mmCIF file of all heavy atoms in Angstrom:
data_model
loop_
_atom_site.group_PDB
_atom_site.id
_atom_site.type_symbol
_atom_site.label_atom_id
_atom_site.label_comp_id
_atom_site.label_asym_id
_atom_site.label_seq_id
_atom_site.Cartn_x
_atom_site.Cartn_y
_atom_site.Cartn_z
ATOM 1 N N PRO A 140 28.955 125.462 274.371
ATOM 2 C CA PRO A 140 29.506 124.130 274.593
ATOM 3 C C PRO A 140 31.034 124.178 274.690
ATOM 4 O O PRO A 140 31.679 125.055 274.134
ATOM 5 C CB PRO A 140 29.080 123.356 273.334
ATOM 6 C CG PRO A 140 28.838 124.396 272.301
ATOM 7 C CD PRO A 140 28.385 125.615 273.033
ATOM 8 N N THR A 141 31.583 123.229 275.444
ATOM 9 C CA THR A 141 33.026 123.139 275.548
ATOM 10 C C THR A 141 33.577 122.546 274.268
ATOM 11 O O THR A 141 32.839 122.117 273.378
ATOM 12 C CB THR A 141 33.433 122.246 276.739
ATOM 13 O OG1 THR A 141 32.937 120.928 276.478
ATOM 14 C CG2 THR A 141 32.878 122.764 278.042
ATOM 15 N N GLY A 151 28.797 113.757 265.144
ATOM 16 C CA GLY A 151 27.517 113.132 264.835
ATOM 17 C C GLY A 151 26.946 113.593 263.509
ATOM 18 O O GLY A 151 26.173 112.893 262.881
ATOM 19 N N LYS A 154 29.158 115.708 257.195
ATOM 20 C CA LYS A 154 28.606 116.144 255.921
ATOM 21 C C LYS A 154 29.208 115.298 254.803
ATOM 22 O O LYS A 154 30.379 114.932 254.854
ATOM 23 C CB LYS A 154 28.858 117.625 255.693
ATOM 24 C CG LYS A 154 30.306 118.031 255.663
ATOM 25 C CD LYS A 154 30.414 119.515 255.467
ATOM 26 C CE LYS A 154 31.895 119.902 255.455
ATOM 27 N NZ LYS A 154 32.065 121.317 255.259
ATOM 28 N N VAL A 167 31.681 123.084 228.586
ATOM 29 C CA VAL A 167 33.096 122.730 228.377
ATOM 30 C C VAL A 167 33.240 121.215 228.372
ATOM 31 O O VAL A 167 33.951 120.652 227.530
ATOM 32 C CB VAL A 167 33.977 123.368 229.477
ATOM 33 C CG1 VAL A 167 35.397 122.853 229.409
ATOM 34 C CG2 VAL A 167 33.953 124.879 229.364
ATOM 35 N N ARG A 170 32.355 119.254 224.985
ATOM 36 C CA ARG A 170 33.258 119.266 223.826
ATOM 37 C C ARG A 170 34.638 118.806 224.280
ATOM 38 O O ARG A 170 35.263 119.416 225.117
ATOM 39 C CB ARG A 170 33.324 120.675 223.257
ATOM 40 C CG ARG A 170 32.001 121.102 222.685
ATOM 41 C CD ARG A 170 31.962 122.599 222.464
ATOM 42 N NE ARG A 170 30.678 123.040 221.972
ATOM 43 C CZ ARG A 170 29.629 123.264 222.747
ATOM 44 N NH1 ARG A 170 29.700 123.068 224.038
ATOM 45 N NH2 ARG A 170 28.492 123.673 222.242
ATOM 46 N N SER A 176 41.514 121.487 226.655
ATOM 47 C CA SER A 176 42.143 122.808 226.788
ATOM 48 C C SER A 176 41.903 123.367 228.185
ATOM 49 O O SER A 176 42.786 123.980 228.779
ATOM 50 C CB SER A 176 41.586 123.797 225.777
ATOM 51 O OG SER A 176 41.422 123.233 224.541
ATOM 52 N N VAL A 181 43.903 124.768 233.559
ATOM 53 C CA VAL A 181 43.828 124.595 235.016
ATOM 54 C C VAL A 181 45.151 124.043 235.542
ATOM 55 O O VAL A 181 45.657 124.493 236.575
ATOM 56 C CB VAL A 181 42.646 123.672 235.401
ATOM 57 C CG1 VAL A 181 42.740 123.241 236.854
ATOM 58 C CG2 VAL A 181 41.326 124.367 235.147
ATOM 59 N N LEU A 196 58.877 128.949 250.163
ATOM 60 C CA LEU A 196 59.269 128.158 251.340
ATOM 61 C C LEU A 196 60.541 128.706 251.987
ATOM 62 O O LEU A 196 60.542 128.957 253.202
ATOM 63 C CB LEU A 196 59.407 126.687 250.978
ATOM 64 C CG LEU A 196 58.092 125.942 250.740
ATOM 65 C CD1 LEU A 196 58.367 124.522 250.276
ATOM 66 C CD2 LEU A 196 57.235 125.941 251.977
ATOM 67 N N GLY A 202 54.405 130.078 252.176
ATOM 68 C CA GLY A 202 54.679 129.052 251.180
ATOM 69 C C GLY A 202 53.708 127.897 251.176
ATOM 70 O O GLY A 202 53.152 127.541 250.136
ATOM 71 N N VAL A 205 50.185 128.821 249.977
ATOM 72 C CA VAL A 205 50.121 129.009 248.529
ATOM 73 C C VAL A 205 50.178 127.657 247.817
ATOM 74 O O VAL A 205 49.462 127.441 246.834
ATOM 75 C CB VAL A 205 51.252 129.947 248.066
ATOM 76 C CG1 VAL A 205 51.299 130.062 246.557
ATOM 77 C CG2 VAL A 205 51.073 131.333 248.682
ATOM 78 N N PHE A 207 49.046 124.795 248.947
ATOM 79 C CA PHE A 207 47.740 124.165 249.086
ATOM 80 C C PHE A 207 46.671 124.888 248.258
ATOM 81 O O PHE A 207 45.714 124.262 247.811
ATOM 82 C CB PHE A 207 47.340 124.048 250.552
ATOM 83 C CG PHE A 207 48.153 123.005 251.277
ATOM 84 C CD1 PHE A 207 48.894 123.336 252.394
ATOM 85 C CD2 PHE A 207 48.193 121.705 250.818
ATOM 86 C CE1 PHE A 207 49.647 122.378 253.041
ATOM 87 C CE2 PHE A 207 48.948 120.743 251.454
ATOM 88 C CZ PHE A 207 49.681 121.073 252.571
ATOM 89 N N GLY A 209 47.339 126.099 245.282
ATOM 90 C CA GLY A 209 47.575 125.508 243.971
ATOM 91 C C GLY A 209 46.981 124.110 243.872
ATOM 92 O O GLY A 209 46.398 123.742 242.833
ATOM 93 N N MET A 210 47.087 123.350 244.951
ATOM 94 C CA MET A 210 46.464 122.021 244.965
ATOM 95 C C MET A 210 44.945 122.139 244.866
ATOM 96 O O MET A 210 44.296 121.315 244.216
ATOM 97 C CB MET A 210 46.844 121.267 246.244
ATOM 98 C CG MET A 210 48.282 120.834 246.310
ATOM 99 S SD MET A 210 48.729 119.663 245.032
ATOM 100 C CE MET A 210 47.690 118.296 245.457
ATOM 101 N N PHE A 217 41.130 117.641 238.707
ATOM 102 C CA PHE A 217 41.822 116.361 238.710
ATOM 103 C C PHE A 217 41.507 115.562 239.977
ATOM 104 O O PHE A 217 41.578 116.090 241.090
ATOM 105 C CB PHE A 217 43.332 116.561 238.602
ATOM 106 C CG PHE A 217 43.727 117.338 237.372
ATOM 107 C CD1 PHE A 217 44.167 118.648 237.457
ATOM 108 C CD2 PHE A 217 43.637 116.756 236.123
ATOM 109 C CE1 PHE A 217 44.517 119.358 236.330
ATOM 110 C CE2 PHE A 217 43.987 117.455 234.984
ATOM 111 C CZ PHE A 217 44.423 118.763 235.087
ATOM 112 N N ALA A 220 44.330 115.207 242.703
ATOM 113 C CA ALA A 220 44.487 116.369 243.578
ATOM 114 C C ALA A 220 43.376 116.409 244.628
ATOM 115 O O ALA A 220 43.605 116.811 245.769
ATOM 116 C CB ALA A 220 44.485 117.651 242.753
ATOM 117 N N ARG A 225 41.884 115.782 250.315
ATOM 118 C CA ARG A 225 41.099 115.106 251.362
ATOM 119 C C ARG A 225 42.014 114.470 252.402
ATOM 120 O O ARG A 225 41.766 114.553 253.605
ATOM 121 C CB ARG A 225 40.182 114.042 250.756
ATOM 122 C CG ARG A 225 38.990 114.643 250.073
ATOM 123 C CD ARG A 225 38.038 113.579 249.603
ATOM 124 N NE ARG A 225 36.951 114.180 248.827
ATOM 125 C CZ ARG A 225 35.979 113.506 248.284
ATOM 126 N NH1 ARG A 225 35.927 112.197 248.401
ATOM 127 N NH2 ARG A 225 35.037 114.116 247.603
ATOM 128 N N ARG A 229 42.274 115.563 256.369
ATOM 129 C CA ARG A 229 42.107 114.555 257.423
ATOM 130 C C ARG A 229 43.301 114.573 258.377
ATOM 131 O O ARG A 229 43.142 114.550 259.599
ATOM 132 C CB ARG A 229 41.917 113.183 256.782
ATOM 133 C CG ARG A 229 41.488 112.114 257.755
ATOM 134 C CD ARG A 229 41.057 110.819 257.077
ATOM 135 N NE ARG A 229 42.025 110.337 256.083
ATOM 136 C CZ ARG A 229 41.814 110.304 254.761
ATOM 137 N NH1 ARG A 229 40.676 110.722 254.262
ATOM 138 N NH2 ARG A 229 42.736 109.850 253.947
ATOM 139 N N LYS A 230 44.519 114.642 257.830
ATOM 140 C CA LYS A 230 45.720 114.647 258.673
ATOM 141 C C LYS A 230 45.810 115.922 259.515
ATOM 142 O O LYS A 230 46.206 115.872 260.688
ATOM 143 C CB LYS A 230 46.985 114.497 257.819
ATOM 144 C CG LYS A 230 47.113 113.135 257.190
ATOM 145 C CD LYS A 230 47.204 112.069 258.263
ATOM 146 C CE LYS A 230 47.318 110.692 257.656
ATOM 147 N NZ LYS A 230 47.345 109.643 258.657
ATOM 148 N N ALA A 234 45.845 116.067 263.565
ATOM 149 C CA ALA A 234 46.920 116.742 264.293
ATOM 150 C C ALA A 234 46.355 117.801 265.237
ATOM 151 O O ALA A 234 46.847 117.971 266.357
ATOM 152 C CB ALA A 234 47.903 117.375 263.311
ATOM 153 N N GLN A 236 43.422 117.719 266.686
ATOM 154 C CA GLN A 236 42.819 117.022 267.820
ATOM 155 C C GLN A 236 43.891 116.523 268.790
ATOM 156 O O GLN A 236 43.712 116.596 270.006
ATOM 157 C CB GLN A 236 41.956 115.853 267.329
ATOM 158 C CG GLN A 236 40.697 116.297 266.627
ATOM 159 C CD GLN A 236 39.816 117.135 267.531
ATOM 160 O OE1 GLN A 236 39.653 116.858 268.710
ATOM 161 N NE2 GLN A 236 39.259 118.203 266.981
ATOM 162 N N ASP A 240 44.959 117.605 273.104
ATOM 163 C CA ASP A 240 45.024 116.633 274.188
ATOM 164 C C ASP A 240 45.869 117.216 275.328
ATOM 165 O O ASP A 240 46.997 117.657 275.106
ATOM 166 C CB ASP A 240 45.646 115.328 273.670
ATOM 167 C CG ASP A 240 45.713 114.252 274.735
ATOM 168 O OD1 ASP A 240 44.960 114.343 275.715
ATOM 169 O OD2 ASP A 240 46.528 113.317 274.568
ATOM 170 N N ILE A 248 54.917 121.644 276.525
ATOM 171 C CA ILE A 248 55.348 122.741 277.394
ATOM 172 C C ILE A 248 56.618 122.350 278.148
ATOM 173 O O ILE A 248 57.551 123.147 278.269
ATOM 174 C CB ILE A 248 54.217 123.137 278.368
ATOM 175 C CG1 ILE A 248 53.086 123.815 277.585
ATOM 176 C CG2 ILE A 248 54.731 124.040 279.480
ATOM 177 C CD1 ILE A 248 51.835 124.063 278.397
ATOM 178 N N ILE A 257 68.268 124.934 278.237
ATOM 179 C CA ILE A 257 69.523 124.555 277.586
ATOM 180 C C ILE A 257 70.085 125.716 276.776
ATOM 181 O O ILE A 257 71.281 126.027 276.844
ATOM 182 C CB ILE A 257 69.319 123.301 276.709
ATOM 183 C CG1 ILE A 257 69.063 122.086 277.595
ATOM 184 C CG2 ILE A 257 70.516 123.056 275.795
ATOM 185 C CD1 ILE A 257 68.642 120.848 276.833
ATOM 186 N N PRO A 274 81.233 136.384 267.395
ATOM 187 C CA PRO A 274 82.120 135.241 267.129
ATOM 188 C C PRO A 274 83.189 135.540 266.086
ATOM 189 O O PRO A 274 84.297 135.019 266.161
ATOM 190 C CB PRO A 274 81.172 134.154 266.614
ATOM 191 C CG PRO A 274 79.821 134.547 267.104
ATOM 192 C CD PRO A 274 79.836 136.036 267.218
ATOM 193 N N ASN A 278 89.470 137.160 269.236
ATOM 194 C CA ASN A 278 90.883 136.898 269.013
ATOM 195 C C ASN A 278 91.264 135.574 269.645
ATOM 196 O O ASN A 278 90.560 135.066 270.510
ATOM 197 C CB ASN A 278 91.722 138.034 269.621
ATOM 198 C CG ASN A 278 91.427 139.364 268.948
ATOM 199 O OD1 ASN A 278 91.115 139.406 267.760
ATOM 200 N ND2 ASN A 278 91.552 140.447 269.713
#
Side-chain angles (χ1 to χ4, degrees):
T141 63
K154 60 181 179 180
V167 172
R170 294 165 183 82
S176 318
V181 167
L196 287 175
V205 175
F207 288 122
M210 290 297 296
F217 303 107
R225 284 186 186 180
R229 191 170 49 248
K230 291 299 179 183
Q236 290 300 320
D240 181 21
I248 290 171
I257 291 171
N278 297 328

